[in-house]
Amino acid sequence: MSGRDQTGTGAPLLEVRDLVVHHGQLRALSGISLAVYPGEVYALIGANGAGKSTLLRTIAGLHRPTSGTISYDGRDVTGLRPEKRAGAGIVMVPEGRRLFPTLSLEDNLKVGASYARPGPWTIDRVLELFPWMKERRRQRASQMSGGEQQSVAIGRALVANPRLLLLDELSLGLAPVIVQRIYATLPQVLESGITVLLVEQDVSQALRAATHLQCLLEGHTTLQGTPAEVTREQVEAAYFGVTDGNGVSPASHGGTTPLSPPNGIDA
């Protein structure tokens, strides 16, 4: 259970405040704020171009924000280099997996272990989490399916023993049955003390897995709260930017106010 659920007032592990990010002249994120509490699965949803991956990459240190702050475990890490963030426990599974194609499955896992923090995750434990890997550990990553590569990418991140695991486009391009198998591993990940922030286009999957969600549209937040607080109609309206001019206000960060979509979006 997350710190948010236990007390409602616990300190967030990650806090982003008023984040603005540009890609050249393009404003990719406009004043984004969020708070992720220990033990959560926090899902960022939205269509292509919404800014989800940009936000995740900025948290990982791969993009420099124009303004705003990123705090991790009570420390301002806005200017910290990516490798320093990884060493502090912020580890990312990037979109497209980014494995070393000529290396074996096991050698790809060793890459993650090379900068590991102390913790419970080892290569052997990853092989237990994904049993099919044991007989395939010598196989090159280039010879694996997309779902297998995604599992290896997750394993590579886990052996680094993160406190905050960033998962970018977890289900992109994968068959639904493979997506379900990958998501089925999340409980074991959470039980080991890892908090998860994921980007997901599959809204149904995000609603099933997440303890908290936030919808982005063109770099703005259009909806946020818990899956129990939202209806599918609200999510659809926020996802596509449907408005009716009623000026409904959003729920506050991490509070108990029933979730309502901002910017005039109505359920």
Side-chain angles (χ1 to χ4, degrees):
M1 183 178 291
S2 71
R4 186 196 308 256
D5 292 332
Q6 288 175 341
T7 68
T9 58
L13 179 62
L14 174 75
E15 189 168 15
V16 174
R17 291 187 177 181
D18 302 320
L19 202 67
V20 176
V21 179
H22 284 81
H23 296 316
Q25 298 299 312
L26 174 66
R27 186 165 176 146
L29 296 175
S30 300
I32 296 296
S33 296
L34 60 84
V36 181
Y37 288 76
E40 285 194 316
V41 177
Y42 196 110
L44 298 168
I45 63 173
N48 284 333
K52 310 181 302 299
S53 292
T54 294
L55 177 54
L56 220 62
R57 289 173 61 83
T58 304
I59 292 168
L62 300 174
H63 291 316
R64 184 178 296 275
T66 306
S67 62
T69 60
I70 302 169
S71 297
Y72 169 73
D73 198 21
R75 174 190 177 192
D76 188 337
V77 298
T78 310
L80 202 64
R81 293 180 58 83
E83 64 271 20
K84 296 292 186 180
R85 299 190 202 196
I90 302 175
V91 178
M92 183 173 177
V93 177
E95 180 182 354
R97 295 109 196 183
R98 304 291 178 88
L99 299 177
F100 292 95
T102 60
L103 294 184
S104 69
L105 184 160
E106 186 171 18
D107 285 341
N108 270 282
L109 295 181
K110 288 179 179 178
V111 171
S114 65
Y115 55 90
R117 300 168 63 251
W121 286 98
T122 63
I123 290 177
D124 285 342
R125 184 166 180 184
V126 168
L127 298 182
E128 292 174 4
L129 182 66
F130 300 103
W132 63 268
M133 291 185 180
K134 293 180 181 180
E135 296 182 356
R136 309 269 297 280
R137 59 198 304 166
R138 305 299 182 193
Q139 186 176 15
R140 288 185 179 184
S142 60
Q143 298 173 324
M144 298 175 186
S145 68
E148 291 167 347
Q149 290 183 16
Q150 186 70 287
S151 298
V152 175
I154 293 170
R156 179 182 60 185
L158 289 176
V159 295
N161 280 294
R163 291 188 64 196
L164 178 64
L165 181 62
L166 310 178
L167 300 174
D168 194 4
E169 299 289 9
L170 186 58
S171 67
L172 185 64
L174 302 181
V177 64
I178 303 300
V179 173
Q180 291 173 11
R181 289 174 186 169
I182 291 175
Y183 269 98
T185 65
L186 276 184
Q188 294 183 61
V189 172
L190 297 170
E191 287 170 4
S192 70
I194 294 175
T195 299
V196 175
L197 174 60
L198 65 90
V199 160
E200 183 57 84
Q201 287 193 47
D202 185 335
V203 175
S204 296
Q205 185 63 65
L207 288 171
R208 286 193 294 268
T211 55
H212 201 88
L213 63 88
Q214 184 163 339
C215 184
L216 302 185
L217 178 69
E218 297 179 351
H220 297 83
T221 296
T222 54
L223 187 70
Q224 56 184 327
T226 70
E229 292 173 327
V230 304
T231 65
R232 289 190 176 274
E233 290 78 13
Q234 284 179 306
V235 172
E236 183 176 346
Y239 195 99
F240 294 108
V242 179
T243 63
D244 67 1
N246 287 339
V248 180
S249 298
S252 60
H253 273 304
T256 57
T257 305
L259 183 146
S260 301
N263 301 329
I265 298 173
D266 193 4

